[in-house]
Amino acid sequence: MATWGHLGFQDSASPLMEQLIFFHDHTMVVLILITTFVGYMMAAMFPNAFVNRFLLENQTIEVIWTILPAIILIFIALPSLRLLYLLDEVNNPSITLKTIGHQWYWSYEYSDFLQVEFDSYMTPSNELDLSGFRLLDVDNRTVLPMNTQVRMLVTAADVIHSWTVPALGVKADAIPGRLNQISFMVNRPGLFFGQCSEICGANHSFMPIVVESVSVSAFLNWISSSSDL
Amino acid sequence: MSFLFYLRSCVGMGSRFLKGKFMRFGAPFLVLVVGGSFGLKEFSQIRYDFRNRKNITKEDAEKLGIPMKPQAEVTLETEYKKITKIDTSNWENIRGPRPWEDGNKLYEEAVQRGKQNTDKAS
């Protein structure tokens, strides 16, 4: 989850997010190289008192500094396209989870099972225990099984909201009258937090999302206990 | 007779072709590229096999006594039909509280409803 002074991405909990972080790191290396190179060139010119009287129309350098940036761009474009197609891959989800955004809470429905539906409200700060996360903890967490392809269907009941969990690299707008589909897989157990990402009224900052990733057997036990209620 | 000469020259052409640049460099290269992609499929297939395996099948759930709907019953289209029934037009615009304002009734009612639902759930 995000903590104070957090600079980079949250640790990934999904293979796609992992790839996104790798691509970001790769592109950042290229950018830092270019910036350092240009910065050094500029800094080196300050103490230089020489003047080049013949500085006109050097075709060789012109060709070099046209072709070299093109090559650098190819080095960025190839991983980018690979990732783009990776994100759009068609897969076979094992379970389907539908979430409906309301003002100001999320309601979840496990469509594959019978009668597993619940609302997820933020735990108010005055009811939070000392170990709780302010503005992030909820009363009912969304439990999902590990290493299982999940199909997420997102919609809203009143205004536009947006369902996101940064650690999983997913975000989808919840638009009333429309069903958006995203697919992801959680590859480690744990708690992953997100917050509503589309302004939806006074309590927009107070409707968080918590995904609790557990083993498949623990998930099935939770389903059976939830549907009994 | 001339037919025999024709055959001989065809055979000559064939053997020259087999020793030519294409057969020595071009064809092996193409076989490597195209055949290699089929061979690499064996390695990359593992990602699809892992991700497309069904962790939670109807049979596993039934063993634990959890009724589960069949795969064909839960699709984008069926879920969409369900959400079209939600009434999205009748919502009240609950105005947020201004700092100088005290007693924004609608906002306080919404907070109370939220609190009640949290208490009900816990």
Side-chain angles (χ1 to χ4, degrees):
Chain A
M1 56 169 277
T3 50
W4 300 110
H6 207 125
L7 280 180
F9 292 118
Q10 294 179 28
D11 288 338
S12 71
S14 155
L16 286 176
M17 187 60 199
E18 201 178 9
Q19 290 297 313
L20 282 163
I21 293 174
F22 290 159
F23 173 67
H24 167 268
D25 292 346
H26 164 82
T27 311
M28 187 61 89
V29 163
V30 176
L31 291 178
I32 289 175
L33 271 169
I34 297 170
T35 311
T36 313
F37 181 66
V38 173
Y40 171 73
M41 289 284 137
M42 296 200 295
M45 280 199 236
F46 280 114
N48 189 1
F50 297 133
V51 174
N52 187 349
R53 289 184 294 150
F54 306 108
L55 189 66
L56 276 177
E57 282 192 33
N58 188 335
Q59 303 297 347
T60 324
I61 189 74
E62 291 278 347
V63 167
I64 291 172
W65 68 37
T66 307
I67 299 297
L68 205 57
I71 295 172
I72 291 174
L73 286 176
I74 290 175
F75 271 97
I76 299 176
L78 290 177
S80 170
L81 287 170
R82 184 192 77 101
L83 189 53
L84 191 65
Y85 279 83
L86 210 62
L87 290 168
D88 268 345
E89 255 177 24
V90 164
N91 44 44
N92 229 352
S94 296
I95 57 166
T96 302
L97 174 59
K98 189 164 77 190
T99 178
I100 304 173
H102 305 258
Q103 275 182 321
W104 289 287
Y105 62 98
W106 295 94
S107 64
Y108 298 96
E109 183 196 308
Y110 288 75
S111 318
D112 298 296
F113 304 95
L114 302 172
Q115 291 295 88
V116 185
E117 303 170 359
F118 56 88
D119 294 340
S120 179
Y121 282 84
M122 181 186 85
T123 316
S125 305
N126 49 12
E127 289 167 37
L128 204 57
D129 35 280
L130 272 176
S131 60
F133 297 122
R134 192 180 70 95
L135 306 186
L136 286 176
D137 262 329
V138 294
D139 51 5
N140 299 318
R141 297 178 187 149
T142 312
V143 181
L144 285 174
M146 254 170 60
N147 287 333
T148 310
Q149 201 74 29
V150 177
R151 180 209 272 137
M152 192 82 203
L153 302 173
V154 187
T155 184
D158 37 40
V159 295
I160 304 181
H161 302 265
S162 186
W163 194 89
T164 177
V165 180
L168 304 175
V170 287
K171 183 180 287 185
D173 276 0
I175 297 168
R178 182 189 171 89
L179 198 58
N180 283 330
Q181 174 180 283
I182 37 176
S183 189
F184 59 87
M185 181 177 83
V186 195
N187 60 10
R188 62 183 171 100
L191 291 176
F192 309 110
F193 296 85
Q195 291 172 294
C196 176
S197 300
E198 186 67 41
I199 185 85
C200 51
N203 282 358
H204 154 70
S205 320
F206 309 114
M207 47 184 293
I209 296 142
V210 183
V211 168
E212 185 180 334
S213 172
V214 294
S215 61
V216 174
S217 45
F219 172 73
L220 288 171
N221 286 335
W222 177 83
I223 288 278
S224 59
S225 59
S226 307
S227 53
D228 287 342
L229 289 169
Chain B
M1 184 72 169
S2 55
F3 182 66
L4 279 171
F5 280 131
Y6 174 72
L7 276 182
R8 249 181 73 179
S9 47
C10 280
V11 167
M13 230 175 63
S15 66
R16 272 200 313 276
F17 175 73
L18 286 174
K19 288 185 226 153
K21 290 276 173 62
F22 179 73
M23 286 314 282
R24 283 167 57 211
F25 302 110
F29 173 71
L30 288 175
V31 165
L32 186 67
V33 169
V34 175
S37 70
F38 284 99
L40 283 176
K41 186 186 91 152
E42 297 305 310
F43 295 101
S44 43
Q45 185 62 28
I46 196 168
R47 182 176 86 218
Y48 302 98
D49 291 336
F50 175 73
R51 296 214 191 150
N52 290 342
R53 64 184 186 150
K54 289 278 174 184
N55 253 355
I56 299 180
T57 55
K58 201 160 181 292
E59 293 73 34
D60 293 334
E62 308 276 281
K63 265 188 239 157
L64 291 167
I66 304 166
M68 197 167 153
K69 297 183 198 157
Q71 186 82 5
E73 229 183 83
V74 185
T75 63
L76 197 57
E77 287 76 22
T78 56
E79 295 301 313
Y80 179 69
K81 282 206 184 68
K82 284 191 211 161
I83 65 127
T84 49
K85 299 197 186 84
I86 302 176
D87 179 20
T88 57
S89 338
N90 295 326
W91 55 274
E92 340 161 334
N93 185 12
I94 300 168
R95 208 180 66 138
R98 304 288 189 270
W100 58 86
E101 203 177 62
D102 210 21
N104 180 345
K105 275 195 75 187
L106 278 177
Y107 178 75
E108 274 167 24
E109 277 169 31
V111 169
Q112 279 306 316
R113 255 179 282 136
K115 271 219 187 112
Q116 272 168 19
N117 282 316
T118 317
D119 293 333
K120 228 194 303 176
S122 56

